[in-house]
Amino acid sequence: MEENMEGNYDLTNPYEIARYIKEAKKATPVKVYIKGDISDCDFGNIEDYGSADFHVIFGESDEITDFLEKNKNKINKFRLEYDRRNSAIPLIDLRNIDARIEPGAIIRDKVKIDKGAVIMMGAVVNIGAEIGEGTMVDMNSVVGARGKLGKNVHLGAGSVVAGVLEPPSKSPCIIEDNVLIGANSVVLEGVKIGKGSVVAAGSVVVEDVPENVVVAGSPAKVIKSVDDKTKGKTKLVADLRK
């Protein structure tokens, strides 16, 4: 089995992912804008960016709350912002990923994204997922935990590749190379879609799909083999991956 280790965790194993989440230090990071001169205060582990009577501080919720209470006489007013509570898994660091990732995509840490992939606005990619080279995850689509998308896959807008973390006994979804999944389709847990196949828009795929066929419906059934006409209608645009 391919190893994908982070510390002592094998993130290809659902039980190990569950252990990672259990043992991770839960975080509630907050940001506070403060009007008031707090320059001489003891910040502890809190990060302070400011001077004189305007500051922006970052830290954990409990420590920030204590700081605001202890220094309330120096604070004229403040505004607090946060976007999570007791979060176990941070978002991925995007800086060294050689892919196009648009604003509003939510990608958790411990995800593999290969060169030339495209993650569009509103897409969600969960822990343990793999996105292959040249693959597009379109707007508002979801790649669940451990989902594997091969090379040059198109996951249509609003589609779901179901995650397999609970129940952990299920195999992950595997979408092989050159598969096109139409908008608003659902691929259920443990399903494998073979190379070159096409899933029609709005389909619900409940069982494995062989290579080079077109499936449609709910539940999705094979309706034809991929032919030249199908290839022409489903051809990917390389320039979108530059």
Side-chain angles (χ1 to χ4, degrees):
M1 181 175 63
E2 181 182 353
E3 291 294 318
N4 181 13
M5 301 295 290
E6 178 70 21
N8 295 320
Y9 303 98
D10 175 6
L11 298 177
T12 66
N13 182 322
Y15 295 95
E16 287 289 283
I17 294 176
R19 184 168 72 90
Y20 168 75
I21 293 171
K22 174 186 174 183
E23 296 178 355
K25 183 179 179 180
K26 309 305 185 288
T28 307
V30 299
K31 175 170 67 173
V32 188
Y33 302 90
I34 295 177
K35 183 70 172 177
D37 190 354
I38 56 171
S39 303
D40 296 332
C41 295
D42 180 6
F43 288 95
N45 294 320
I46 296 171
E47 298 178 37
D48 172 42
Y49 300 90
S51 60
D53 64 349
F54 181 75
H55 295 256
V56 181
I57 63 174
F58 296 84
E60 271 297 306
S61 176
D62 291 346
E63 190 167 5
I64 291 284
T65 299
D66 289 344
F67 178 87
L68 295 175
E69 177 62 26
K70 289 177 181 176
N71 298 287
K72 60 185 179 182
N73 293 333
K74 299 180 179 181
I75 298 172
N76 298 321
K77 59 181 179 180
F78 68 88
R79 182 182 181 88
L80 185 147
E81 295 180 354
Y82 61 95
D83 62 0
R84 70 203 74 184
R85 178 69 181 170
N86 293 326
S87 179
I89 306 170
L91 299 183
I92 195 170
D93 184 348
L94 301 175
R95 291 175 295 175
N96 296 315
I97 296 176
D98 189 7
R100 177 160 67 88
I101 300 173
E102 296 294 349
I106 299 174
I107 307 172
R108 300 182 90 181
D109 203 10
K110 318 308 180 199
V111 165
K112 183 176 182 288
I113 301 174
D114 286 340
K115 181 178 180 179
V118 179
I119 315 294
M120 294 295 287
M121 300 80 72
V124 177
V125 184
N126 205 357
I127 186 171
E130 298 180 11
I131 311 299
E133 182 177 343
T135 284
M136 179 180 287
V137 180
D138 212 340
M139 294 182 294
N140 298 316
S141 54
V142 176
V143 181
R146 301 171 62 219
K148 299 180 186 298
L149 276 58
K151 296 180 180 180
N152 299 312
V153 169
H154 181 96
L155 181 63
S159 294
V160 175
V161 173
V164 181
L165 187 53
E166 191 174 56
S169 58
K170 274 277 193 180
S171 298
C173 289
I174 298 176
I175 314 301
E176 295 193 331
D177 298 349
N178 303 305
V179 167
L180 186 141
I181 299 176
N184 297 312
S185 296
V186 177
V187 181
L188 294 187
E189 291 89 343
V191 167
K192 178 179 179 181
I193 299 181
K195 294 179 181 178
S197 286
V198 175
V199 177
S203 298
V204 178
V205 187
V206 302
E207 59 186 10
D208 290 355
V209 174
E211 295 182 4
N212 297 308
V213 298
V214 179
V215 299
S218 178
K221 302 293 184 183
V222 176
I223 60 171
K224 60 181 286 188
S225 295
V226 172
D227 54 22
D228 289 341
K229 184 177 179 180
T230 304
K231 290 178 181 178
K233 288 183 176 180
T234 59
K235 183 178 179 180
L236 303 184
V237 180
D239 284 351
L240 294 177
R241 287 143 177 87
K242 302 299 182 183

